[in-house]
Coordinates of all heavy atoms in Angstrom, one line a residue:
M1 N -30.7 -28.3 151.2 CA -32.1 -28.7 150.8 C -33.0 -28.8 152.0 O -32.6 -29.5 153.0 CB -32.0 -30.1 150.1 CG -31.8 -30.0 148.6 SD -33.1 -29.3 147.7 CE -34.1 -30.8 147.4
P2 N -34.2 -28.3 152.0 CA -35.2 -28.5 153.1 C -35.7 -29.9 153.1 O -35.7 -30.5 152.0 CB -36.3 -27.5 152.8 CG -36.0 -26.9 151.4 CD -34.7 -27.4 150.9
T3 N -35.9 -30.4 154.2 CA -36.4 -31.8 154.4 C -37.8 -31.8 154.8 O -38.2 -31.0 155.7 CB -35.5 -32.5 155.5 OG1 -34.2 -32.1 155.2 CG2 -35.7 -33.9 155.5
P4 N -38.6 -32.7 154.3 CA -40.0 -32.8 154.7 C -40.1 -33.2 156.2 O -39.4 -34.0 156.6 CB -40.7 -33.8 153.8 CG -39.6 -34.4 153.0 CD -38.4 -33.6 153.1
K5 N -41.1 -32.5 156.9 CA -41.2 -32.8 158.3 C -41.8 -34.2 158.6 O -41.4 -34.8 159.6 CB -42.1 -31.7 158.9 CG -41.8 -31.4 160.3 CD -42.6 -30.1 160.7 CE -42.0 -29.5 162.0 NZ -42.7 -28.2 162.2
K6 N -42.7 -34.6 157.8 CA -43.4 -35.9 158.0 C -43.3 -36.7 156.7 O -43.2 -36.2 155.6 CB -44.9 -35.6 158.2 CG -45.2 -35.0 159.6 CD -45.2 -36.1 160.7 CE -45.9 -35.6 162.0 NZ -45.2 -34.4 162.6
R7 N -43.2 -38.0 156.9 CA -43.1 -39.0 155.8 C -44.5 -39.0 155.1 O -45.6 -38.9 155.8 CB -42.9 -40.3 156.4 CG -42.7 -41.4 155.4 CD -42.7 -42.8 156.1 NE -42.7 -43.9 155.1 CZ -41.7 -44.5 154.8 NH1 -40.5 -44.3 155.3 NH2 -41.7 -45.5 153.9
T8 N -44.5 -39.0 153.8 CA -45.7 -39.1 153.0 C -46.3 -40.5 153.2 O -45.6 -41.5 153.0 CB -45.5 -38.8 151.5 OG1 -44.7 -37.6 151.4 CG2 -46.7 -38.7 150.8
T9 N -47.6 -40.5 153.5 CA -48.2 -41.8 153.7 C -48.4 -42.6 152.4 O -48.4 -41.9 151.3 CB -49.6 -41.7 154.4 OG1 -50.4 -40.9 153.5 CG2 -49.5 -41.0 155.7
R10 N -48.5 -43.9 152.5 CA -48.8 -44.7 151.3 C -50.0 -44.2 150.5 O -50.0 -44.1 149.3 CB -49.1 -46.1 151.7 CG -47.9 -47.1 151.5 CD -48.3 -48.4 152.0 NE -48.6 -48.5 153.5 CZ -49.0 -49.5 154.1 NH1 -49.3 -50.6 153.5 NH2 -49.2 -49.4 155.4
S11 N -51.0 -43.8 151.3 CA -52.3 -43.3 150.7 C -52.0 -42.0 149.9 O -52.4 -41.9 148.7 CB -53.3 -43.1 151.8 OG -54.4 -42.5 151.3
K12 N -51.4 -41.0 150.5 CA -51.1 -39.8 149.9 C -50.2 -39.9 148.7 O -50.4 -39.3 147.6 CB -50.5 -38.7 150.9 CG -51.6 -38.1 151.7 CD -52.4 -37.1 151.0 CE -53.6 -36.7 151.8 NZ -54.6 -35.9 150.9
R13 N -49.2 -40.8 148.8 CA -48.3 -41.0 147.7 C -49.0 -41.6 146.5 O -48.8 -41.2 145.4 CB -47.2 -41.9 148.2 CG -46.1 -42.3 147.2 CD -45.4 -43.6 147.6 NE -46.3 -44.7 147.6 CZ -46.1 -45.9 148.2 NH1 -45.0 -46.0 148.9 NH2 -47.0 -46.8 148.2
D14 N -49.8 -42.6 146.8 CA -50.6 -43.3 145.7 C -51.6 -42.4 145.1 O -51.9 -42.5 143.9 CB -51.2 -44.6 146.2 CG -50.1 -45.6 146.6 OD1 -48.9 -45.4 146.2 OD2 -50.4 -46.6 147.2
M15 N -52.2 -41.5 145.9 CA -53.2 -40.6 145.4 C -52.5 -39.7 144.4 O -53.0 -39.3 143.3 CB -53.8 -39.8 146.5 CG -55.0 -40.4 147.2 SD -55.9 -39.2 148.1 CE -55.3 -39.6 149.7
R16 N -51.3 -39.2 144.7 CA -50.5 -38.4 143.8 C -50.2 -39.1 142.5 O -50.3 -38.6 141.4 CB -49.3 -37.9 144.5 CG -48.4 -37.0 143.7 CD -47.2 -36.5 144.5 NE -46.3 -37.5 144.8 CZ -45.9 -37.9 146.0 NH1 -46.4 -37.3 147.1 NH2 -45.1 -38.9 146.3
R17 N -49.8 -40.4 142.6 CA -49.4 -41.1 141.5 C -50.5 -41.6 140.6 O -50.3 -42.2 139.6 CB -48.6 -42.3 142.0 CG -47.2 -41.9 142.5 CD -46.4 -43.1 142.9 NE -45.2 -42.6 143.6 CZ -44.3 -43.5 144.2 NH1 -44.6 -44.7 144.2 NH2 -43.2 -43.0 144.7
S18 N -51.8 -41.4 141.1 CA -52.9 -41.9 140.3 C -53.0 -41.2 138.9 O -53.6 -41.8 138.0 CB -54.2 -41.7 141.0 OG -54.5 -40.4 141.1
H19 N -52.4 -40.1 138.8 CA -52.4 -39.4 137.5 C -51.2 -39.6 136.6 O -51.1 -39.1 135.5 CB -52.6 -37.9 137.7 CG -53.8 -37.5 138.5 ND1 -55.0 -37.4 137.9 CD2 -53.9 -37.2 139.8 CE1 -55.9 -37.1 138.9 NE2 -55.2 -36.9 140.0
D20 N -50.2 -40.4 137.1 CA -48.9 -40.4 136.5 C -48.7 -41.5 135.4 O -47.7 -41.5 134.8 CB -47.8 -40.7 137.6 CG -47.6 -39.5 138.5 OD1 -48.3 -38.4 138.2 OD2 -46.9 -39.6 139.5
F21 N -49.7 -42.4 135.3 CA -49.5 -43.5 134.4 C -49.9 -43.1 133.0 O -50.9 -42.5 132.7 CB -50.2 -44.7 134.9 CG -49.7 -45.2 136.2 CD1 -50.3 -44.9 137.4 CD2 -48.4 -45.8 136.3 CE1 -49.8 -45.2 138.6 CE2 -47.9 -46.2 137.5 CZ -48.6 -45.9 138.7
A22 N -49.0 -43.5 132.0 CA -49.3 -43.3 130.6 C -50.4 -44.1 130.1 O -50.5 -45.3 130.4 CB -48.0 -43.5 129.8
V23 N -51.2 -43.6 129.2 CA -52.3 -44.4 128.6 C -51.7 -44.9 127.2 O -51.0 -44.1 126.5 CB -53.6 -43.6 128.4 CG1 -54.3 -43.5 129.8 CG2 -53.3 -42.2 127.8
P24 N -52.0 -46.1 126.8 CA -51.6 -46.6 125.6 C -52.2 -45.8 124.4 O -53.4 -45.5 124.4 CB -52.0 -48.0 125.5 CG -53.0 -48.2 126.6 CD -52.8 -47.1 127.6
K25 N -51.4 -45.5 123.4 CA -51.9 -44.8 122.2 C -52.8 -45.7 121.4 O -52.5 -46.8 121.1 CB -50.7 -44.4 121.4 CG -50.1 -43.0 121.7 CD -49.1 -42.5 120.7 CE -48.6 -41.2 121.1 NZ -47.5 -40.8 120.2
T26 N -54.0 -45.1 121.1 CA -54.9 -45.8 120.3 C -54.6 -45.6 118.8 O -54.2 -44.6 118.4 CB -56.4 -45.4 120.6 OG1 -56.4 -44.0 120.5 CG2 -56.8 -45.8 121.9
S27 N -54.9 -46.7 118.0 CA -54.7 -46.6 116.6 C -55.8 -47.4 115.9 O -56.3 -48.3 116.5 CB -53.3 -47.1 116.2 OG -53.1 -48.3 116.7
V28 N -56.2 -46.9 114.7 CA -57.2 -47.6 113.9 C -56.6 -48.0 112.6 O -55.6 -47.5 112.2 CB -58.5 -46.8 113.8 CG1 -59.1 -46.5 115.1 CG2 -58.1 -45.4 113.1
N29 N -57.3 -48.9 111.9 CA -56.9 -49.3 110.6 C -57.5 -48.3 109.6 O -58.7 -48.0 109.7 CB -57.3 -50.7 110.3 CG -56.5 -51.7 111.0 OD1 -55.2 -51.5 111.1 ND2 -57.1 -52.8 111.5
C30 N -56.7 -47.9 108.6 CA -57.2 -47.0 107.6 C -58.2 -47.7 106.7 O -58.0 -48.9 106.3 CB -56.0 -46.6 106.7 SG -56.5 -45.6 105.3
P31 N -59.4 -47.2 106.5 CA -60.4 -47.8 105.6 C -60.0 -47.9 104.2 O -60.5 -48.7 103.4 CB -61.6 -47.0 105.8 CG -61.2 -45.7 106.3 CD -59.9 -45.9 107.0
N32 N -59.0 -47.1 103.8 CA -58.6 -47.1 102.4 C -57.5 -48.1 102.1 O -57.6 -48.9 101.2 CB -58.1 -45.7 102.0 CG -57.8 -45.6 100.5 OD1 -58.7 -45.9 99.7 ND2 -56.6 -45.2 100.2
C33 N -56.4 -48.1 103.0 CA -55.3 -49.0 102.7 C -55.0 -49.9 103.9 O -54.1 -50.7 103.8 CB -54.0 -48.1 102.4 SG -53.4 -47.2 103.9
S34 N -55.9 -49.8 104.9 CA -55.8 -50.7 106.1 C -54.5 -50.7 106.8 O -54.2 -51.6 107.5 CB -56.2 -52.2 105.7 OG -55.2 -52.8 105.0
A35 N -53.7 -49.6 106.7 CA -52.5 -49.4 107.5 C -52.9 -48.8 108.8 O -54.0 -48.2 108.9 CB -51.6 -48.5 106.8
L36 N -52.1 -49.0 109.8 CA -52.4 -48.5 111.2 C -52.2 -47.0 111.2 O -51.2 -46.5 110.7 CB -51.4 -49.2 112.2 CG -52.0 -49.7 113.4 CD1 -53.1 -50.7 113.1 CD2 -51.0 -50.4 114.2
K37 N -53.2 -46.3 111.6 CA -53.1 -44.8 111.7 C -53.8 -44.3 112.9 O -54.5 -45.0 113.6 CB -53.8 -44.2 110.4 CG -55.3 -44.3 110.4 CD -55.8 -43.5 109.3 CE -57.3 -43.2 109.4 NZ -57.6 -42.1 110.4
L38 N -53.5 -43.0 113.3 CA -54.1 -42.4 114.4 C -55.5 -42.0 114.1 O -55.8 -41.6 113.0 CB -53.3 -41.2 114.8 CG -51.9 -41.4 115.4 CD1 -51.2 -40.1 115.5 CD2 -51.9 -42.1 116.7
P39 N -56.5 -42.2 115.0 CA -57.9 -41.8 114.7 C -58.0 -40.3 114.6 O -57.3 -39.5 115.2 CB -58.6 -42.3 116.0 CG -57.6 -42.5 117.0 CD -56.3 -42.8 116.4
H40 N -58.9 -39.9 113.7 CA -59.2 -38.5 113.4 C -58.0 -37.8 112.8 O -57.8 -36.6 112.9 CB -59.7 -37.7 114.6 CG -60.8 -38.4 115.3 ND1 -62.0 -38.5 114.8 CD2 -60.8 -39.1 116.5 CE1 -62.8 -39.2 115.7 NE2 -62.0 -39.6 116.7
N41 N -57.1 -38.6 112.1 CA -55.9 -38.0 111.5 C -55.8 -38.5 110.0 O -56.3 -39.6 109.7 CB -54.7 -38.4 112.2 CG -54.4 -37.5 113.4 OD1 -53.7 -36.5 113.3 ND2 -55.0 -37.9 114.5
V42 N -55.2 -37.8 109.2 CA -55.0 -38.2 107.8 C -54.0 -39.4 107.8 O -53.1 -39.4 108.6 CB -54.3 -37.0 107.0 CG1 -54.0 -37.5 105.6 CG2 -55.3 -35.9 106.9
C43 N -54.3 -40.4 107.0 CA -53.5 -41.6 107.0 C -52.1 -41.2 106.4 O -52.0 -40.5 105.4 CB -54.2 -42.6 106.1 SG -53.2 -44.1 105.9
T44 N -51.1 -41.7 107.1 CA -49.7 -41.3 106.7 C -49.2 -42.1 105.5 O -48.3 -41.7 104.9 CB -48.8 -41.5 107.9 OG1 -49.0 -42.8 108.5 CG2 -49.0 -40.4 108.9
S45 N -49.8 -43.3 105.2 CA -49.3 -44.1 104.1 C -50.0 -43.8 102.8 O -49.5 -43.9 101.8 CB -49.3 -45.5 104.5 OG -50.7 -45.9 104.8
C46 N -51.3 -43.4 102.9 CA -52.0 -43.2 101.6 C -52.6 -41.7 101.5 O -53.0 -41.3 100.4 CB -53.2 -44.2 101.4 SG -54.6 -44.0 102.5
G47 N -52.5 -41.0 102.6 CA -52.9 -39.6 102.5 C -54.4 -39.4 102.5 O -54.9 -38.3 102.1
Y48 N -55.2 -40.4 102.8 CA -56.7 -40.3 102.7 C -57.3 -39.9 104.1 O -56.8 -40.2 105.1 CB -57.3 -41.6 102.3 CG -57.5 -41.7 100.8 CD1 -56.4 -41.7 100.0 CD2 -58.7 -41.9 100.2 CE1 -56.5 -41.9 98.6 CE2 -58.9 -42.0 98.9 CZ -57.8 -42.0 98.1 OH -57.9 -42.1 96.7
Y49 N -58.3 -39.1 104.0 CA -59.1 -38.8 105.2 C -60.6 -38.7 104.8 O -60.9 -38.0 103.8 CB -58.6 -37.5 105.9 CG -59.4 -37.2 107.2 CD1 -59.1 -38.0 108.3 CD2 -60.4 -36.3 107.3 CE1 -59.7 -37.8 109.5 CE2 -61.0 -36.1 108.5 CZ -60.7 -36.8 109.6 OH -61.4 -36.6 110.8
K50 N -61.5 -39.4 105.4 CA -62.9 -39.4 105.1 C -63.2 -39.8 103.7 O -64.0 -39.2 103.0 CB -63.5 -38.0 105.4 CG -64.0 -37.9 106.9 CD -64.8 -36.6 107.1 CE -65.6 -36.7 108.3 NZ -66.4 -35.4 108.5
G51 N -62.4 -40.8 103.2 CA -62.6 -41.3 101.8 C -62.1 -40.4 100.7 O -62.5 -40.6 99.5
E52 N -61.4 -39.3 101.0 CA -60.8 -38.5 100.0 C -59.4 -38.3 100.2 O -58.9 -38.3 101.3 CB -61.5 -37.1 100.1 CG -62.8 -36.9 99.4 CD -63.4 -35.5 99.6 OE1 -62.7 -34.6 99.1 OE2 -64.4 -35.4 100.3
E53 N -58.6 -38.2 99.1 CA -57.2 -38.0 99.2 C -57.0 -36.5 99.5 O -57.3 -35.7 98.6 CB -56.4 -38.4 97.9 CG -55.0 -38.4 98.1 CD -54.2 -39.0 97.0 OE1 -54.8 -39.3 96.0 OE2 -53.0 -39.1 97.2
V54 N -56.5 -36.2 100.7 CA -56.3 -34.8 101.0 C -54.9 -34.3 101.0 O -54.6 -33.2 100.8 CB -56.9 -34.5 102.4 CG1 -58.4 -34.5 102.4 CG2 -56.5 -35.5 103.5
V55 N -54.0 -35.3 101.2 CA -52.5 -34.9 101.0 C -51.9 -36.0 100.1 O -52.4 -37.2 100.1 CB -51.8 -34.8 102.3 CG1 -52.1 -33.6 103.0 CG2 -52.0 -36.0 103.2
V56 N -50.9 -35.6 99.3 CA -50.2 -36.6 98.5 C -49.3 -37.4 99.4 O -48.5 -36.9 100.2 CB -49.4 -35.9 97.4 CG1 -48.7 -36.9 96.5 CG2 -50.4 -35.0 96.5
A57 N -49.4 -38.8 99.2 CA -48.6 -39.7 100.1 C -47.1 -39.5 99.8 O -46.7 -39.2 98.7 CB -49.0 -41.1 99.8
K58 N -46.3 -39.7 100.8 CA -44.9 -39.5 100.7 C -44.2 -40.5 99.8 O -43.4 -40.2 98.9 CB -44.2 -39.7 102.1 CG -44.5 -38.4 103.0 CD -44.0 -38.7 104.4 CE -44.8 -38.0 105.5 NZ -44.6 -38.5 106.8
S59 N -44.5 -41.8 100.0 CA -43.8 -42.9 99.3 C -44.7 -44.1 99.1 O -45.8 -44.2 99.7 CB -42.5 -43.3 100.0 OG -42.8 -43.8 101.2
T60 N -44.3 -45.0 98.2 CA -45.0 -46.2 97.8 C -46.4 -45.9 97.1 O -47.2 -45.2 97.4 CB -45.2 -47.3 98.9 OG1 -46.0 -46.7 99.9 CG2 -43.9 -47.7 99.4
Ligands
ZN101 ZN1 -54.4 -45.2 104.3

């Protein structure tokens, strides 16, 4: 394995890591059934999107 010639500085290491952190997933409450769902997505529990049932819900 080749070895780096110089140690990476704290600054350069941290600059590289500035893009590495995960962002928390956002979720909104469904206006129809108030279950937690992903924004701009069909609700997984009632199958509604923009006030209309677009897919038939899986269960309940
Ligand atoms: Zn819903």
Side-chain angles (χ1 to χ4, degrees):
M1 273 291 275
T3 314
K5 210 168 196 174
K6 288 277 195 300
R7 183 192 174 99
T8 309
T9 61
R10 258 180 293 174
S11 172
K12 279 289 167 191
R13 180 202 62 198
D14 292 347
M15 276 195 262
R16 180 177 66 240
R17 289 181 187 173
S18 71
H19 302 280
D20 290 355
F21 297 101
V23 284
K25 268 191 179 169
T26 48
S27 52
V28 294
N29 287 320
C30 175
N32 187 57
C33 67
S34 72
L36 230 53
K37 73 172 196 73
L38 293 170
H40 311 290
N41 277 269
V42 174
C43 177
T44 47
S45 59
C46 69
Y48 268 63
Y49 187 74
K50 272 188 163 181
E52 280 177 61
E53 190 171 7
V54 285
V55 287
V56 179
K58 285 174 209 164
S59 58
T60 62

